Amino acid sequence: GAVVSQHPSWVICKSGTSVKIECRSLDFQATTMFWYRQFPKQSLMLMATSNEGSKATYEQGVEKDKFLINHASLTLSTLTVTSAHPEDSSFYICSASLALSSYNEQFFGPGTRLTVL
Amino acid sequence: KQEVTQIPAALSVPEGENLVLNCSFTDSAIYNLQWFRQDPGKGLTSLLLIQSSQREQTSGRLNASLDKSSGRSTLYIAASQPGDSATYLCAVKATDSWGKLQFGAGTQVVVTP
């Protein structure tokens, strides 16, 4: 149980285009989903916290107009990187938390590798 | 602000040796601490989760201890195998963080046959 999937697993796009990444909880309902990015040889940095049916909460320094997050259902959250540039190339990982308590364990997706040319 | 540090950054051991990975955090007001494994280009696999009230957790060859007052956790992997080669991350969930995880930079482990 507690499986989280991401799609696509990797994507290559041209500079200036937008890319959408999906995060799904397959066998549970996730009230809260988290989006992280990871640069090579570095740790995960939280970008935003998304709660179903409400606006995402972004971490300091993360541009909310560039990284659009939508959590329209209890099993799906999407991250859209708008007008992507090479510096947005990174590994994006989502996680989902069970039930209503934000203190419950997070389950992580397999990640999406974004390369912007 | 919570800071999580993992030492060493990289570790290479021959097969069969025990592994000791360290994690330290600056704010002892944590809800829990979690150890993860990450293979190259992959997501995270949760290994062990220790609640703040616990001193240790065990799963197979893995044992993790937690000393909240000193801000330390140690992950022990007994009788290491080449398949244990990966990056190991620790993360803490602070009591006032609304459930957010703060990650360390990880320890990259190589177990040689």
Side-chain angles (χ1 to χ4, degrees):
Chain A
V3 178
V4 176
S5 70
Q6 281 184 242
H7 179 81
S9 55
W10 59 269
V11 57
I12 301 173
C13 69
K14 294 182 179 180
S15 184
T17 61
S18 294
V19 174
K20 180 184 285 188
I21 302 170
E22 292 184 348
C23 176
R24 292 182 185 272
S25 55
L26 299 184
D27 50 3
F28 66 99
Q29 293 186 328
T31 308
T32 305
M33 289 185 171
F34 303 84
W35 286 96
Y36 298 83
R37 67 187 298 181
Q38 184 180 34
F39 291 108
K41 303 292 185 182
Q42 294 186 27
S43 191
L44 278 73
M45 297 297 295
L46 180 66
M47 299 175 66
T49 302
S50 100
N51 292 293
E52 186 264 339
S54 62
K55 291 184 179 180
T57 302
Y58 291 82
E59 294 299 298
Q60 192 173 8
V62 177
E63 300 176 60
K64 61 181 180 181
D65 293 332
K66 181 170 187 62
F67 298 99
L68 301 179
I69 291 172
N70 183 285
H71 192 163
S73 77
L74 286 172
T75 59
L76 174 65
S77 176
T78 60
L79 167 68
T80 301
V81 183
T82 62
S83 186
H85 291 284
E87 58 266 29
D88 298 323
S89 299
S90 188
F91 193 55
Y92 292 87
I93 303 177
C94 72
S95 70
S97 182
L98 281 163
L100 296 176
S101 169
S102 64
Y103 289 92
N104 279 343
E105 184 176 356
Q106 291 179 32
F107 298 93
F108 285 79
T112 296
R113 172 76 58 193
L114 170 62
T115 302
V116 184
L117 303 176
Chain B
K1 179 186 174 185
Q2 178 75 269
E3 291 187 6
V4 182
T5 305
Q6 290 187 247
I7 294 173
L11 184 61
S12 180
V13 299
E15 182 177 4
E17 271 198 17
N18 297 331
L19 285 164
V20 180
L21 308 179
N22 298 300
C23 173
S24 62
F25 46 95
T26 54
D27 187 348
S28 61
I30 66 169
Y31 192 78
N32 58 44
L33 183 146
Q34 200 165 356
W35 283 94
F36 295 89
R37 169 187 172 134
Q38 185 177 30
D39 293 292
K42 304 293 184 182
L44 304 183
T45 299
S46 179
L47 298 175
L48 292 168
L49 185 150
I50 313 174
Q51 301 293 351
S52 61
S53 58
Q54 297 176 318
R55 298 283 292 181
E56 67 176 350
Q57 278 283 359
T58 298
S59 176
R61 294 184 295 113
L62 277 60
N63 174 276
S65 66
L66 174 64
D67 185 342
K68 200 173 65 167
S69 60
S70 66
R72 294 180 186 174
S73 177
T74 302
L75 177 66
Y76 300 89
I77 303 178
S80 61
Q81 304 168 357
D84 294 328
S85 298
T87 295
Y88 293 82
L89 298 162
C90 74
V92 298
K93 186 176 288 185
T95 55
D96 62 348
S97 68
W98 297 100
K100 294 185 292 188
L101 290 175
Q102 183 72 34
F103 281 85
T107 295
Q108 186 175 11
V109 172
V110 174
V111 181
T112 56

